[in-house]
Amino acid sequence: MEPTNIEAPEYFHKVVDCQWACPAHTPVPEYIRLIAQGRYTDAYMINWKSNVFPGILGRTCDRPCEPACRRVRVEEEPVAICRLKRVAADNKDDIADRLPPLAAQRNGKRIALVGAGPASLAVARDLAPLGYELVIYDGDAKAGGMIRSQIPRFRLPESVIDEEVGYITGLGMEMRLGERIDSLKSLLTKDYDAIFVGSGAPRGRDLDVPGRAEAAANIHIGIDWLSSVSFGHIEKIGRRVIVLGGGNTAMDCCRTSRRLGGEDVKVIVRSGFDEMKASPWEKEDAMHEDIPILNWLVPKEFTHENGKLTGVTFEKVGAVFDEKGRRKLLPTGEPDEHYPCDDVLVAVGQENAFPWIERDIGLDFNEWDMPVVDEVTFASTNPKVFFGGDAAFGPKNIIWAVAHGHDAAISIHKFCQGESVADRPAPGVTLVSQKMGIHEWSYDNDISNALRHRVPLRDKAEALSNVKLEVELGFNLGVGFKEAERCLNCDIETVFAEPLCIECDACVDICPMDCITFTENRDETDLRHHLSAPALNLEQDLYVSSLLPTGRVMVKDEDVCLHCGLCAERCPTGAWDMRKFLLNMTHAEGACRM
């Protein structure tokens, strides 16, 4: 097969998987190494630049990076990347002197941001230091959007929200809180050079089921109910509670119910347990708090007497697949099941609602009544209006909203400077040797054999007694160090220099994973089966050298490499080196030519 160009960033994209799985492209191994070195503030600031909310995400992130963690290639559990963010956040020093200074002068451009959630705040964080005059509108009395309104305090203390939102609002912007925008057309008439819409997906889906209207007093839309709890408007619920839905919102609803008086709380889902949209750890947390999850049940009727809810009748269903593999839920023919309850929380999904956006302002909507938004630039069909977060493509999560905000900020900056928003800046890439001496490296390559550490939890009885008492206690410094040591340093890469190689096979002998082979070059399919150990993961590129003096090539199976550096340590000629691949995504600062 053709030799791999080791200088090409595309190769490393398939090696530093955790950074590429993160929508904000956070340099995960870099900040984990800093944690292991006790440099918590440095680790926090790396996160702050890319994901904006390290303390918040260290408690609530959906963890797209962890399934991509290379640790799962040698054992079942990935590094606890998410919870290590919290280690940095909880143990950092004061960062006031590290935040961008207030802009010395305005650049003459004025931007409106609709919604004070994570997408808008990410845009503001990138544009404020560049001198933009920013005005953020939100109907709530405090900034944070769904971070504040829909994530329960027992998962995310309000003090953490105040701190990290405050870092952004403190960069100098006008906060018009309690001021809801009810007309985009009207906003466009005001003196704004661009508008960013980060209003989220504020409407929870309802169920059109018999008895819904008659028993309405005790049937609540999940996200609205969570908001009411967060802002102190609701402080109790009935003893018997049914939560309908299988996503993370449903898990928040059921766990909140347990803390507000729900003794018999059930989650009932139309799909199977493994098909539920809730993250595995969210389901685990709910079940730890004695909340059963019942599957394959579709609500058929809300039962009631004299206007009061008495329970829910369900039809038993099963998954059936047609000849094209399409899945349908069909009744099994088993008897209906009735579960008595005092309250029902409906958490079957969220959807966008744009009644405040007129349809005659040059902004196109698609067949799902969603604005037409470019997936790269986040521009709408009205050149002055940009979208991001849930408002752009529907409900997702905080880290995606942050990534949208970074990209939208680039577009807004380029638009305001008269440049094409389609001209996207390339990221910065470096590849630097980590060798400091004959036997010295700038990183710890003693790979820990420890299994993943569990985050300690507050005693269950105590946790359930107070809706504001944080359940997860976080890693202490000792455990945080041990968990950080599990990282395989996947951004520190083996780089091979053919002219220095004498084909002594010392690297082959010392490799603990049998991932290095000197062999004749072949077609890739054939080559994969002529290695020291067959390379079976076709999604991972092989690292193939150019021809060596003997006519052979060096082939390395990156799929199982531990990045331990033993090949570079053992090599007598220095043909192997360990180099750190660092990817710096370009944000609004530095995106323009001007």
Side-chain angles (χ1 to χ4, degrees):
M1 62 180 290
E2 289 296 318
T4 299
N5 176 7
I6 199 60
E7 299 294 338
E10 292 80 5
Y11 174 75
F12 293 109
H13 294 183
K14 290 198 172 188
V15 175
V16 195
D17 293 329
C18 51
Q19 181 166 3
W20 284 95
C22 173
H25 299 310
T26 305
V28 174
E30 177 77 355
Y31 81 73
I32 290 179
R33 274 193 300 275
L34 292 173
I35 290 171
Q37 296 167 19
R39 295 169 57 187
Y40 304 110
T41 308
D42 292 336
Y44 182 88
M45 293 311 298
I46 285 176
N47 275 281
W48 190 81
K49 180 180 179 181
S50 59
N51 67 42
V52 182
F53 304 105
I56 292 170
L57 285 164
R59 292 165 166 84
T60 64
C61 189
D62 278 357
R63 316 179 195 180
C65 55
E66 291 190 13
C69 175
R70 295 177 65 83
R71 187 81 191 196
V72 301
R73 304 188 190 188
V74 294
E75 64 177 71
E76 289 187 12
E77 293 288 339
V79 175
I81 297 170
C82 174
R83 289 339 187 216
L84 285 174
K85 285 189 186 74
R86 177 176 173 178
V87 171
D90 287 354
N91 295 284
K92 69 184 184 304
D93 296 323
D94 183 5
I95 66 166
D97 61 341
R98 298 197 183 206
L99 296 174
L102 297 179
Q105 61 183 23
R106 299 293 187 187
N107 65 10
K109 302 295 183 180
R110 196 162 180 255
I111 313 298
L113 299 100
V114 182
S120 292
L121 292 173
V123 173
R125 173 234 174 278
D126 287 359
L127 294 184
L130 302 181
Y132 286 90
E133 182 181 350
L134 305 173
V135 182
I136 301 182
Y137 296 88
D138 197 285
D140 289 334
K142 290 186 175 182
M146 59 79 63
I147 292 175
R148 191 181 297 275
S149 65
Q150 292 173 33
I151 300 177
R153 296 291 82 83
F154 59 82
R155 290 182 56 208
L156 178 61
E158 191 159 22
S159 59
V160 178
I161 304 173
D162 291 341
E163 176 189 9
E164 297 201 322
V165 169
Y167 289 149
I168 298 169
T169 59
L171 295 176
M173 57 201 67
E174 182 179 351
M175 303 299 296
R176 295 194 182 180
L177 300 175
E179 188 172 340
R180 189 177 301 278
I181 297 298
D182 57 14
S183 170
L184 183 57
K185 189 175 192 176
S186 175
L187 196 63
L188 281 165
T189 65
K190 297 183 179 180
D191 187 23
Y192 291 116
D193 295 281
I195 295 171
F196 176 78
V197 178
S199 55
R203 187 168 65 190
R205 292 195 180 119
D206 206 343
L207 288 175
D208 185 13
V209 174
R212 173 66 177 90
E214 292 83 349
N218 294 96
I219 301 173
H220 319 280
I221 301 300
I223 63 168
D224 297 337
W225 185 81
L226 286 172
S227 294
S228 295
V229 173
S230 291
F231 291 116
H233 304 313
I234 290 178
E235 297 179 344
K236 62 181 180 179
I237 199 167
R239 186 181 68 83
R240 302 171 301 174
V241 181
I242 289 176
V243 178
L244 301 176
N248 287 339
T249 298
M251 300 302 106
D252 285 341
C253 285
C254 69
R255 297 180 69 198
T256 302
S257 297
R258 287 284 281 126
R259 289 158 171 78
L260 296 186
E263 298 174 11
D264 176 10
V265 179
K266 297 180 179 69
V267 175
I268 303 183
V269 194
R270 62 186 293 131
S271 67
F273 184 84
D274 293 335
E275 299 173 299
M276 292 170 61
K277 292 184 178 180
S279 304
W281 51 90
E282 299 282 5
K283 295 186 286 187
E284 180 182 323
D285 288 342
M287 292 185 292
H288 171 72
E289 294 178 356
D290 306 317
I291 300 168
I293 298 175
L294 309 180
N295 297 93
W296 304 114
L297 293 168
V298 174
K300 189 174 181 180
E301 180 184 8
F302 294 109
T303 59
H304 52 90
E305 290 182 8
N306 301 319
K308 184 177 181 180
L309 178 72
T310 59
V312 186
T313 300
F314 293 88
E315 183 175 48
K316 189 75 173 177
V317 298
V320 177
F321 296 87
D322 63 18
E323 64 279 0
K324 294 183 179 180
R326 293 174 297 198
R327 172 184 173 276
K328 288 185 179 180
L329 294 178
L330 297 179
T332 63
E334 298 171 72
D336 291 344
E337 298 181 13
H338 181 266
Y339 293 93
C341 65
D342 303 304
D343 286 282
V344 169
L345 298 174
V346 180
V348 294
Q350 294 169 236
E351 56 192 7
N352 293 78
F354 295 108
W356 57 279
I357 298 182
E358 294 83 355
R359 300 312 195 253
D360 62 347
I361 57 174
L363 204 157
D364 294 343
F365 281 74
N366 61 25
E367 61 268 35
W368 298 284
D369 204 32
M370 287 284 289
V372 175
V373 178
D374 187 277
E375 293 185 2
V376 175
T377 66
F378 295 89
S380 72
T381 52
N382 183 314
K384 287 182 64 174
V385 181
F386 300 82
F387 285 75
D390 293 352
F393 304 114
K396 206 145 191 182
N397 53 47
I398 300 171
I399 192 64
W400 275 103
V402 168
H404 292 180
H406 284 316
D407 285 334
I410 291 172
S411 296
I412 292 169
H413 185 36
K414 295 180 79 68
F415 173 75
C416 288
Q417 301 303 321
E419 296 185 14
S420 169
V421 299
D423 181 15
R424 311 305 288 181
V429 176
T430 59
L431 194 63
V432 180
S433 176
Q434 301 303 289
K435 195 160 192 174
M436 300 175 66
I438 297 177
H439 299 293
E440 291 182 309
W441 302 90
S442 66
Y443 72 103
D444 182 2
N445 59 353
D446 183 15
I447 303 301
S448 168
N449 291 319
L451 299 177
R452 179 177 171 125
H453 296 82
R454 303 288 293 179
V455 177
L457 304 178
R458 193 178 299 276
D459 175 74
K460 183 164 60 177
E462 183 186 12
L464 293 176
S465 69
N466 188 333
V467 75
K468 293 186 178 181
L469 204 57
E470 189 170 16
V471 176
E472 289 193 0
L473 303 179
F475 291 137
N476 62 32
L477 294 183
V479 176
F481 170 79
K482 291 178 181 177
E483 185 63 32
E485 284 287 276
R486 295 181 66 240
C487 177
L488 296 179
N489 298 299
C490 62
D491 62 335
I492 298 181
E493 302 301 330
T494 51
V495 175
F496 182 71
E498 292 92 336
L500 299 177
C501 180
I502 58 174
E503 301 183 62
C504 66
D505 283 359
C507 55
V508 176
D509 294 340
I510 201 169
C511 177
M513 303 302 292
D514 293 327
C515 63
I516 301 173
T517 306
F518 287 86
T519 183
E520 295 179 6
N521 202 357
R522 296 173 170 86
D523 171 80
E524 180 177 355
T525 302
D526 191 22
L527 182 62
R528 284 181 175 273
H529 293 277
H530 281 81
L531 306 181
S532 300
L536 304 179
N537 181 4
L538 301 183
E539 294 183 358
Q540 177 68 64
D541 289 344
L542 295 175
Y543 178 1
V544 181
S545 75
S546 57
L547 285 178
L548 298 168
T550 62
R552 299 185 300 171
V553 292
M554 186 288 303
V555 183
K556 179 166 172 286
D557 180 7
E558 189 60 58
D559 184 49
V560 293
C561 177
L562 294 178
H563 301 253
C564 62
L566 289 175
C567 54
E569 184 73 12
R570 182 71 176 271
C571 181
T573 65
W576 285 103
D577 191 15
M578 303 301 294
R579 298 183 189 176
K580 181 165 68 175
F581 171 75
L582 186 61
L583 178 75
N584 284 310
M585 301 303 295
T586 305
H587 292 162
E589 182 180 13
C592 286
R593 296 186 296 271
M594 301 175 68

